[in-house]
Amino acid sequence: MKLDQLYYFSEAAKYRSISIAAEKNYISQPTLSGSINKLERELGTTLLHRSSRGVTPTEIGEVVLEKTHQIFDNLEEIEEVVALAENRGTVRIAGIPCISDRIIPQTILRLKELDLDVLLSMTSCESIQAVNQVASGEASLGLVIHYSGIEKTVGIHYQPLFRDEYILYVGPFSSYWDADAIRLDQALAEPYIAYGEEFKRNNGGLTEILGKRRPNIVLRTDENEGLKRMIAQDNYVAFFPRFMSRDDFYYTSGLLRGLPISDAEMVFEVGVVTSTKYKIDRVSKVFLDILNRTINCDSEIWPCIN
């Protein structure tokens, strides 16, 4: 019995399909199927029920699957203990783009002060995508904007971190460049650049705040840097968080201005999601602890929940 046999068996059980498990692990279907067959021969029992609709663990297969998870959990703990002993590790994060402008860099600085060699692997995505990545085990932590029903998501634990508010970013070519504030109806009438799936579905934050109201969307992009560059070079606008984007280069260099909305409350909540199915590794726990300290220690945060 080999670890790769147990791993491929657990992957087939996870996806309820040998072909999908093979695709997810970048190997051929016969190779994965043959590995499981060999494991069954060595154990002298059938671990999976096979049908045209996929595979499911047998009764004894469920027992072996549970023991397999324990084995791999123990192996991960061994790796974590060694990594922590040498002050190193990898934190896999899926999060909204603006979180990396201020909070993540400050958190990394505090980690360096503790002499922790942490490799941060961060994927920028929308909140729902971040939640899905944590739920599937692709990411250890998800930094998200709260949306209705997030607490009820199966396999997910949500913890609020802080509140922020949306302001409207305008460039020098905007007719509101010299304004101190802007009304919501005026903001929604301006040529708007939408990010990702914004306003296509209810993904929390701005979409929930505005309800049925929608801006005048003229462009849509998944590239956050390009979005800000277009605002700086034309009369486009877009909503950005006041706190999280405060250290943004375009803002601090004067290429963009942030206008508060004078007649509407644009407050939203940012939180972290972890998996209740997959155990969070120790280095991610350390990172999360430092992240909370970073938020609590920043006296300028607006306003902190904790």
Side-chain angles (χ1 to χ4, degrees):
M1 188 189 327
K2 296 180 179 179
L3 287 176
D4 61 341
Q5 294 172 336
L6 292 172
Y7 175 75
Y8 291 143
F9 161 62
S10 68
E11 287 290 280
K14 173 183 175 181
Y15 294 108
R16 294 292 192 264
S17 167
I18 288 177
S19 60
I20 294 177
E23 181 182 348
K24 294 289 185 180
N25 287 275
Y26 305 101
I27 63 171
S28 68
Q29 181 175 336
T31 299
L32 190 141
S33 180
S35 178
I36 296 173
N37 290 336
K38 187 175 181 180
L39 176 62
E40 290 178 319
R41 288 196 301 270
E42 290 178 6
L43 293 176
T45 189
T46 300
L47 299 175
L48 294 173
H49 291 301
R50 295 164 173 83
S51 71
S52 58
R53 292 178 296 179
V55 298
T56 56
T58 62
E59 185 175 349
I60 187 63
E62 289 284 4
V63 176
V64 174
L65 185 61
E66 181 180 353
K67 297 296 183 184
T68 297
H69 288 159
Q70 291 175 4
I71 289 171
F72 284 105
D73 283 346
N74 289 335
L75 289 175
E76 287 182 6
E77 286 183 5
I78 291 172
E79 292 176 351
E80 291 169 19
V81 167
V82 173
L84 282 177
E86 298 183 1
N87 289 335
R88 60 179 173 80
T90 300
V91 181
R92 293 171 294 116
I93 297 176
I96 52 177
C98 289
I99 203 81
S100 61
D101 288 341
R102 178 175 179 82
I103 302 170
I104 296 300
Q106 289 196 356
T107 303
I108 292 174
L109 286 175
R110 284 188 167 87
L111 286 169
K112 288 183 177 179
E113 291 172 0
L114 296 175
D115 197 28
L116 293 176
D117 182 16
V118 175
L119 173 63
L120 186 64
S121 175
M122 184 162 182
T123 302
S124 291
C125 57
E126 295 185 24
S127 296
I128 290 178
Q129 295 170 323
V131 169
N132 291 337
Q133 288 193 36
V134 173
S136 66
E138 294 178 51
S140 304
L141 304 173
L143 299 172
V144 302
I145 293 176
H146 181 273
Y147 57 85
S148 299
I150 190 172
E151 292 92 344
K152 297 179 180 178
T153 306
V154 177
I156 287 297
H157 172 71
Y158 172 81
Q159 172 196 337
L161 293 174
F162 61 89
R163 294 187 180 96
D164 205 334
E165 70 172 344
Y166 286 109
I167 55 177
L168 190 73
Y169 268 19
V170 300
F173 297 94
S174 170
S175 57
Y176 292 98
W177 176 252
D178 294 320
D180 295 323
I182 187 171
R183 296 196 316 269
L184 182 58
D185 64 322
Q186 293 173 324
L188 297 182
E190 290 297 288
Y192 189 88
I193 303 179
Y195 175 78
E197 297 296 309
E198 193 175 47
F199 302 113
K200 283 188 175 182
R201 56 182 176 179
N202 186 0
N203 56 358
L206 193 58
T207 308
E208 277 193 1
I209 290 173
L210 294 181
K212 294 182 179 180
R213 294 170 295 184
R214 291 291 180 266
N216 175 28
I217 299 174
V218 294
L219 288 171
R220 188 176 291 277
T221 180
D222 291 324
E223 217 284 292
N224 204 36
E225 185 72 14
L227 187 157
K228 288 177 284 190
R229 186 167 58 249
M230 285 187 283
I231 296 174
Q233 295 175 350
D234 212 320
N235 67 333
Y236 302 119
V237 301
F239 284 106
F240 275 83
R242 178 193 292 272
F243 166 72
M244 287 189 290
S245 62
R246 191 171 56 198
D247 289 343
D248 180 81
F249 169 76
Y250 285 85
Y251 183 74
T252 57
S253 62
L255 294 172
L256 298 178
R257 289 193 63 218
L259 302 181
I261 305 302
S262 61
D263 61 345
E265 188 178 69
M266 305 294 288
V267 180
F268 64 96
E269 182 179 285
V270 175
V272 58
V273 292
T274 53
S275 173
T276 58
K277 179 181 178 182
Y278 300 100
K279 187 174 64 174
I280 184 172
D281 56 82
R282 294 187 182 184
V283 70
S284 295
K285 288 181 180 178
V286 172
F287 180 87
L288 184 55
D289 179 60
I290 301 300
L291 177 68
N292 275 290
R293 291 189 207 174
T294 300
I295 293 169
N296 287 322
C297 288
D298 193 329
S299 60
E300 297 181 11
I301 194 164
W302 184 95
C304 190
I305 290 175
N306 297 336

